Amino acid sequence: MGMSSTFIGALVLVILIQAKGQPGFISIDCGAEAGANYTEPSLQINYVSDENFINTGVRGTIASEEINTHAQQQLWRLRSFPEGKTNCYKINITRGSNYLIRTLFLYGNYDGRNMSPQFDLLLGANLWDTVTIQNASITQFNEIIHVPLLDFIQICLVNTGNGTPFITAIELRTLKNDTYVTESGSLERYLRCDLGSNRSYRYWADDYDRFWFTCDIKEVWTQLSASISDDSFFENDYKPGATIMSTAVTPANGNAPLVIGWEPEHETDEFYVYMHFTELQVLTTNQTRQFNITMNGELWFSNFSPQYMSVNTIYSPSGISGKEIKFSLERTENSTLPPIINAIEIYKVKQFNQSDTFQGHGSP
């Protein structure tokens, strides 16, 4: 059965390293000159050099033609690791806090070789992912929600013999501890969709600096939108934000269900799902929007009506799995209006069974 979160409250964030005006943000420009500390104007996010987080590697800059097409300066530099098999960053954090951890990679032909590498990315001693650079001119990222057991984390890059590892930026964002809770394991971003939108967003639109994308889910939907001001909008602890919630989708056929589904790579993969809802219309006395949510044909949440200008988040309290996972939002007999959904987040459970530390090169 899904759970609903409609809590409203102040968010108190405590962290050892704080960016100006952004409590809970750690934003590291990998390869920036020593002492660098600047605000990226397009994001209003403060970045610092990686000099205090690692003592190995070589600073590099992407090709000039790539700089011309990437306006944000935290993407212009990088740190590569031509020596040593494993090189690790060490970043002090608050033990037991809930963090969104993001690593970014833009090759940008920094070495003039036009040879995109492949290498392993570790969180502590645990394999997080294998990074395969698909396009030299496109920024790739990895993102995970993780609760560290120590007062620091290590992010390590491993040379697997397929080119020199590198990293462009590291970003940590503190989340509220009672959000994104799992029975076990960490949450790797699988999909995060701003439904009904025609563009992507991150910080200033989202207080937690989550990346939101438009997502083509291959369903026949009608896009909805409304003007929502931050002052008149009631958030919950997930804080998707007024901008993200100002759009939604509904079935093009008002009598049809609204379906969101996917086929996991492995049937045993576990997922956590977070659906965010806001009613965008002022309903008249003879209008009702009410629907049930089923998962793979079984009732998951019943008789749900989104609240006007207020966030409702329905989420899975435990991991879900299957050969196919399909959610269906189906209007009830009493409803005069079809179902809507504004945004959805899907995460895959990542089990880290090794130590949070790696005895490798690089950590200060």
Side-chain angles (χ1 to χ4, degrees):
M1 183 71 71
M3 288 192 175
S4 176
S5 170
T6 55
F7 301 112
I8 302 169
L11 186 60
V12 180
L13 301 170
V14 180
I15 200 164
L16 299 181
I17 306 170
Q18 295 185 347
K20 292 187 298 185
Q22 296 141 4
F25 279 32
I26 301 175
S27 306
I28 301 171
D29 181 340
C30 300
E33 60 273 12
N37 186 328
Y38 65 90
T39 298
E40 165 50 43
S42 67
L43 300 174
Q44 290 301 302
I45 293 176
N46 185 250
Y47 286 85
V48 298
S49 167
D50 63 349
E51 61 172 329
N52 294 322
F53 306 99
I54 196 162
N55 54 28
T56 61
V58 178
R59 293 173 51 222
T61 303
I62 61 174
S64 57
E65 60 269 23
E66 295 288 351
I67 290 178
N68 293 335
T69 60
H70 293 86
Q72 296 175 3
Q73 56 187 313
Q74 81 278 8
L75 301 176
W76 296 348
R77 293 163 294 270
L78 55 86
R79 185 174 295 273
S80 65
F81 301 95
E83 297 183 2
K85 180 175 176 62
T86 303
N87 290 271
C88 299
Y89 283 81
K90 181 181 178 182
I91 305 168
N92 292 333
I93 45 81
T94 301
R95 179 196 318 230
S97 290
N98 203 16
Y99 286 93
L100 184 152
I101 304 171
R102 184 162 54 227
T103 54
L104 297 99
F105 308 91
L106 174 60
Y107 173 58
N109 196 28
Y110 75 92
D111 55 4
R113 302 176 63 190
N114 281 311
M115 295 178 61
S116 300
Q118 181 185 81
F119 49 89
D120 285 347
L121 176 67
L122 307 185
L123 188 57
N126 297 278
L127 178 64
W128 177 355
D129 199 6
T130 295
V131 177
T132 303
I133 302 303
Q134 305 285 357
N135 187 315
S137 301
I138 294 178
T139 305
Q140 296 179 206
F141 69 97
N142 292 77
E143 193 179 277
I144 199 162
I145 296 174
H146 178 69
V147 179
L149 301 177
L150 303 173
D151 58 3
F152 65 90
I153 63 165
Q154 284 183 309
I155 294 175
C156 305
L157 299 108
V158 183
N159 190 326
T160 57
N162 298 297
T164 301
F166 75 94
I167 189 166
T168 301
I170 299 172
E171 299 172 341
L172 280 75
R173 311 294 185 240
T174 311
L175 305 172
K176 200 164 171 48
N177 272 5
D178 59 0
T179 60
Y180 302 108
V181 176
T182 66
E183 292 180 324
S184 67
S186 301
L187 292 177
E188 185 175 39
R189 187 197 68 90
Y190 186 79
L191 199 66
R192 186 183 294 120
C193 301
D194 179 10
L195 298 169
S197 177
N198 294 316
R199 56 158 292 184
S200 58
Y201 290 97
R202 58 174 299 185
Y203 181 72
W204 71 253
D206 183 322
D207 286 350
Y208 291 140
D209 193 27
R210 288 161 293 196
F211 286 3
W212 293 92
F213 298 99
T214 55
C215 299
D216 182 8
I217 303 184
K218 307 297 183 186
E219 295 289 335
V220 182
W221 290 337
T222 298
Q223 293 177 295
L224 305 174
S225 64
S227 177
I228 302 178
S229 68
D230 290 326
D231 293 339
S232 62
F233 188 64
F234 294 96
E235 291 271 29
N236 63 14
D237 289 340
Y238 290 93
K239 300 187 74 170
T243 300
I244 305 303
M245 300 302 290
S246 67
T247 60
V249 292
T250 190
N253 177 349
N255 293 313
L258 193 158
V259 177
I260 298 174
W262 68 97
E263 294 182 6
E265 183 179 359
H266 305 289
E267 192 172 342
T268 55
D269 288 344
E270 285 192 308
F271 295 86
Y272 282 75
V273 176
Y274 301 82
M275 299 181 183
H276 305 292
F277 300 90
T278 292
E279 178 57 69
L280 298 178
Q281 296 178 226
V282 179
L283 304 187
T284 63
T285 54
N286 61 350
Q287 287 182 311
T288 303
R289 193 188 308 277
Q290 186 185 75
F291 50 91
N292 297 321
I293 306 175
T294 66
M295 185 188 74
N296 291 347
E298 296 187 5
L299 185 63
W300 196 63
F301 203 93
S302 62
N303 299 325
F304 176 65
S305 294
Q307 295 176 283
Y308 180 66
M309 297 298 176
S310 180
V311 179
N312 301 101
T313 298
I314 297 177
Y315 60 92
S316 46
S318 58
I320 56 178
S321 60
K323 187 175 182 180
E324 180 184 19
I325 298 173
K326 185 168 72 174
F327 288 92
S328 181
L329 284 58
E330 303 166 0
R331 66 192 291 175
T332 65
E333 292 182 359
N334 299 325
S335 185
T336 63
L337 295 171
I340 64 169
I341 184 170
N342 306 72
I344 187 169
E345 300 178 80
I346 304 172
Y347 296 90
K348 187 171 77 170
V349 175
K350 191 84 172 178
Q351 297 290 353
F352 290 142
N353 300 317
Q354 303 300 316
S355 168
D356 272 7
T357 62
F358 184 91
Q359 302 303 317
H361 296 87
S363 296

